[in-house]
Each structure stands twice: as C-alpha cells, then as structure tokens.
Amino acid sequence: MAKHTETSWKPDKPINQLLNSVNKVTSAVEQAASHPSEQMIQQSHNAMERAENGLANTLQSEENQEALQQLQELLGENRELLEQVQAHPIKDEQ
C-alpha cells in the first residue's frame, strides 16, 4: 500500500476545501429535498454558488483533474436535484 505524506492530507489543500464545499451542497440540497421551503432552497443555491466558485478557482491550479471531475459531476447531480425540488410546490413554513 502506498504511503501518504503528511502534506497530502492537510485540510487546507484546495481539493480538500472544495470537497468540503461540495459536501455542504449535498447536505443543503438533501435538506431542501426532504423539507422544501424557500429558505432551504436559497441556502442550497448559496452553497452551490460557493462550491462552483471554488471549483472554478481549483480547476486553474489543481493537478488532480480526476478528483475535480468527480466533484464537478457531484455538483451537477446536486443541481439537478435542486431543480427538481424547485419544480414542486413549496410547503408553507410554519
């Protein structure tokens, strides 16, 4: 098994920051899907926008293009789910 250096696991690496951002999008979209409301949908859009900005910045500097491609695909899947959530009537917030 290959040995990883300490620097390859540093949380401040751009790819790790992007992964965290995409995970936040996934969580926000899942919450919006299970409890649709204007607020949850807006939070999902905000998370998506931050992740897409991070992706654009990381694409310019990151060497691990395969990981970036996977994260980009996950963002696309989240965007599709969010669009499906928006297509259905939103429950009244109480």
Side-chain angles (χ1 to χ4, degrees), residues 62-74:
E62 185 64 40
E63 295 176 13
N64 191 346
Q65 293 297 311
E66 183 179 338
L68 287 174
Q69 180 66 31
Q70 291 173 350
L71 291 173
Q72 193 169 24
E73 289 172 9
L74 183 56

Side-chain angles (χ1 to χ4, degrees), residues 79-91:
R79 179 170 297 290
E80 289 175 17
L81 179 57
L82 184 56
E83 288 172 0
Q84 290 174 7
V85 170
Q86 284 185 280
H88 293 88
I90 296 173
K91 297 177 186 173

Side-chain angles (χ1 to χ4, degrees), residues 22-83:
V22 171
N23 287 338
K24 288 178 184 178
V25 170
T26 300
S27 177
V29 171
E30 287 173 352
Q31 288 178 357
S34 63
H35 300 87
S37 70
E38 287 293 334
Q39 181 181 5
M40 293 302 239
I41 290 172
Q42 187 59 48
Q43 288 174 354
S44 297
H45 278 290
N46 293 343
M48 182 79 66
E49 186 176 331
R50 286 189 296 273
E52 288 174 340
N53 289 338
L55 177 64
N57 292 334
T58 306
L59 280 171
Q60 296 174 6
S61 63
E62 185 64 40
E63 295 176 13
N64 191 346
Q65 293 297 311
E66 183 179 338
L68 287 174
Q69 180 66 31
Q70 291 173 350
L71 291 173
Q72 193 169 24
E73 289 172 9
L74 183 56
L75 273 176
E77 291 169 9
N78 281 311
R79 179 170 297 290
E80 289 175 17
L81 179 57
L82 184 56
E83 288 172 0

